[in-house]
Amino acid sequence: MKVKLVFLGRLEEQAGYGFADISPDSPLDWPGLVEHLGSELAGAVGSEKVKVALNGALVADKYAITVNDGDEIAFLPPVSGG
Amino acid sequence: MKVKLVFLGRLEEQAGYGFADISPDSPLDWPGLVEHLGSELAGAVGSEKVKVALNGALVADKYAITVNDGDEIAFLPPVSGG
Amino acid sequence: MSDVRLLTSSFDPAEELRAFTAALPMAGGIVSFLGQVREGGGIEALELRHYDPLTLPAMEGLAARVRVRWQLDGLLVIHRSGVLVPREPIVLVAAAARHRRDAFAAADFAMDHLKSESWFWKREKVGGEWRWIEPRAQDFEDIGRWR
Amino acid sequence: MSDVRLLTSSFDPAEELRAFTAALPMAGGIVSFLGQVREGGGIEALELRHYDPLTLPAMEGLAARVRVRWQLDGLLVIHRSGVLVPREPIVLVAAAARHRRDAFAAADFAMDHLKSESWFWKREKVGGEWRWIEPRAQDFEDIGRWR
């Protein structure tokens, strides 16, 4: 299966890219998802301050998501003020 | 001597004119001034709500003014809101 | 920079705002209020009368008070006098500031005081008849917020 | 009438306000906020990034909340995304209402929420280096006023 990851704001800088496709063998839960990220990025997206959108919809509890084939997961750090 | 009277807002309508010159024989105090107005207008300008400017400067206590030759007295009803 | 004007003929609020903004490149935020003669309600015209020796000096005094109270980069106050028809602009206030809150508060304060304390007498023409507009209780409430 | 736009190229705030006002002849008052990229402080450019599936829908949702909360004749919300240079407009909010207080409050509320809750990530270029702009404590205070 194929899953698209999207990194916004400074997470893009940390990831080194804005988008990435991963190809897991089966649906992923949160721990399974972050395993596909480098350890620094995994730590960053794990922060309570980083929100997650699944197929363009904000999820209430990112730790409870299930990611299926064709899904798009966006990692959203706090928005900038000013 | 000559004194110019200016009526603003609805006082102009009550007076029937916006400006008037009066020619008193000697300096006027407040009662002397209002004697030059018709009784309806005298009542209207006597209201606490009507302010007075002497030569373009708002006076703190209109009842205490003295009007001299060449002065301009403006009668200012409450300004409109909205 | 304060720009305070009492005009006896029509003005273009969009162009005034453009010029005001262009002159203040260091301001992050500009809040403006535009009041226009409303269309509808049978109002054919609005007349604003002023008293030359008092009206503009009082507007300038208000602008000075606003500048003391908030940190602004610029303040614009334009008010019409004379006879206006529906859709014509009556008043434009704009406050430019580094901080958004200052710009909002300054424009809001300036409008409350222009409406309730400045030396304008207004009448409106409805069905061919002119009638004077009285002070409104709302305006005194608005101004009371700043005391 | 609500007009909510997310733009990726520059716009002319004066013309937008002119068109907005012309379309609302029954509104007595129009309050606007214009945010522009400040000149000075060594800032060479500002970049706003957004996330397509969320950013515009959230702006539209905010506009709907504003319309429920205040009696408005019209609401305009324009926000830029992309790379901007000093003096370029970032955001324009305008609220038209019969009553001045509604227009001020609606524009103020919309700006506080656009600043602190809308899905934009900003970075600025200073001395050739890009740096991300973090959330500001002031923005949370601003938004707290409405709760």
Side-chain angles (χ1 to χ4, degrees):
Chain A
M1 54 181 262
K2 196 173 141 187
V3 171
K4 184 180 183 185
L5 308 181
V6 182
F7 300 96
L8 278 302
R10 67 161 64 247
L11 292 174
E12 175 179 346
E13 203 169 83
Q14 270 180 276
Y17 40 79
F19 303 91
D21 286 328
I22 57 171
S23 306
D25 298 326
S26 56
L28 299 172
D29 58 7
W30 178 258
L33 177 63
V34 297
E35 262 179 34
H36 285 82
L37 309 174
S39 61
E40 193 201 344
L41 205 53
V45 302
S47 157
E48 293 283 349
K49 288 183 176 172
V50 172
K51 293 188 162 40
V52 164
L54 175 60
N55 299 322
L58 205 61
V59 301
D61 179 4
K62 69 184 176 190
Y63 307 116
I65 58 168
T66 304
V67 181
N68 290 296
D69 187 30
D71 282 352
E72 175 172 312
I73 304 292
F75 298 99
L76 316 159
V79 297
S80 312
Chain B
M1 54 181 262
K2 195 172 143 192
V3 172
K4 183 178 184 185
L5 307 182
V6 182
F7 301 96
L8 277 304
R10 68 160 65 248
L11 290 176
E12 175 177 347
E13 202 170 84
Q14 270 180 275
Y17 39 80
F19 303 90
D21 285 327
I22 58 171
S23 305
D25 298 326
S26 56
L28 299 171
D29 58 8
W30 179 258
L33 177 63
V34 297
E35 262 179 36
H36 286 81
L37 309 174
S39 63
E40 193 202 344
L41 204 53
V45 304
S47 158
E48 293 282 349
K49 288 183 176 173
V50 172
K51 293 188 162 40
V52 163
L54 174 60
N55 299 322
L58 204 62
V59 302
D61 179 6
K62 68 185 177 190
Y63 307 117
I65 58 167
T66 303
V67 180
N68 291 297
D69 187 30
D71 282 351
E72 174 172 312
I73 303 293
F75 298 98
L76 315 159
V79 297
S80 311
Chain C
M1 183 203 76
S2 292
D3 180 355
V4 181
R5 281 178 271 161
L6 173 59
L7 302 180
T8 53
S9 58
S10 209
F11 67 101
D12 182 335
E15 287 312 311
E16 293 290 350
L17 269 179
R18 185 197 302 282
F20 180 71
T21 302
L24 298 164
M26 78 302 292
I30 292 127
V31 171
S32 75
F33 176 85
L34 168 64
Q36 60 183 0
V37 183
R38 266 195 289 268
E39 198 165 71
I43 293 169
E44 292 149 27
L46 178 72
E47 181 176 10
L48 289 102
R49 304 271 192 103
H50 72 278
Y51 180 50
D52 257 337
L54 286 183
T55 309
L56 183 59
M59 288 168 62
E60 288 167 340
L62 171 58
R65 282 159 66 201
V66 170
R67 296 302 295 259
V68 166
R69 192 154 172 169
W70 289 281
Q71 276 281 322
L72 301 181
D73 293 311
L75 179 64
L76 175 68
V77 178
I78 299 176
H79 207 297
R80 272 296 309 276
S81 185
V83 177
L84 290 80
V85 296
R87 295 176 161 239
E88 256 192 289
I90 305 166
V91 57
L92 175 67
V93 164
R98 189 172 170 82
H99 300 292
R100 191 168 77 248
R101 298 246 53 74
D102 286 343
F104 267 105
D108 198 4
F109 177 97
M111 278 310 307
D112 278 352
H113 289 75
L114 272 174
K115 285 280 182 177
S116 57
E117 290 189 348
S118 62
W119 298 105
F120 290 102
W121 295 270
K122 297 176 199 161
R123 52 180 199 161
E124 54 189 18
K125 196 178 184 180
V126 178
E129 299 275 317
W130 285 103
R131 63 182 183 210
W132 290 97
I133 300 172
E134 298 297 321
R136 301 184 315 157
Q138 180 66 45
D139 294 312
F140 293 109
E141 281 171 37
D142 288 347
I143 212 169
R145 297 183 305 134
W146 304 102
R147 293 210 174 105
Chain D
M1 185 203 77
S2 292
D3 180 355
V4 181
R5 281 177 272 161
L6 174 59
L7 302 180
T8 53
S9 58
S10 209
F11 67 101
D12 182 336
E15 287 312 310
E16 293 291 348
L17 270 179
R18 184 198 302 283
F20 179 72
T21 301
L24 297 165
M26 78 301 294
I30 292 127
V31 171
S32 75
F33 176 85
L34 167 65
Q36 61 183 358
V37 183
R38 266 195 288 268
E39 198 164 71
I43 293 169
E44 292 148 27
L46 178 71
E47 182 177 8
L48 290 100
R49 303 270 192 102
H50 72 278
Y51 179 51
D52 257 337
L54 288 182
T55 309
L56 183 59
M59 287 167 63
E60 287 166 341
L62 170 59
R65 284 158 65 200
V66 170
R67 296 304 293 262
V68 166
R69 191 154 173 169
W70 290 282
Q71 277 279 323
L72 301 181
D73 294 310
L75 179 64
L76 174 69
V77 178
I78 300 176
H79 207 295
R80 271 297 309 278
S81 185
V83 177
L84 290 80
V85 295
R87 295 173 162 243
E88 257 193 286
I90 306 167
V91 57
L92 176 67
V93 164
R98 191 172 171 82
H99 300 293
R100 192 169 77 247
R101 298 246 53 73
D102 286 342
F104 267 106
D108 198 3
F109 177 96
M111 276 311 306
D112 278 354
H113 288 75
L114 271 174
K115 284 280 183 177
S116 57
E117 290 189 347
S118 63
W119 298 106
F120 290 101
W121 295 271
K122 295 175 201 159
R123 51 179 200 161
E124 55 189 19
K125 196 177 184 180
V126 178
E129 299 275 317
W130 285 103
R131 62 183 184 209
W132 291 98
I133 300 172
E134 299 296 321
R136 300 185 316 157
Q138 180 65 45
D139 293 312
F140 293 107
E141 282 172 37
D142 288 347
I143 211 169
R145 298 182 305 134
W146 304 101
R147 294 211 174 105

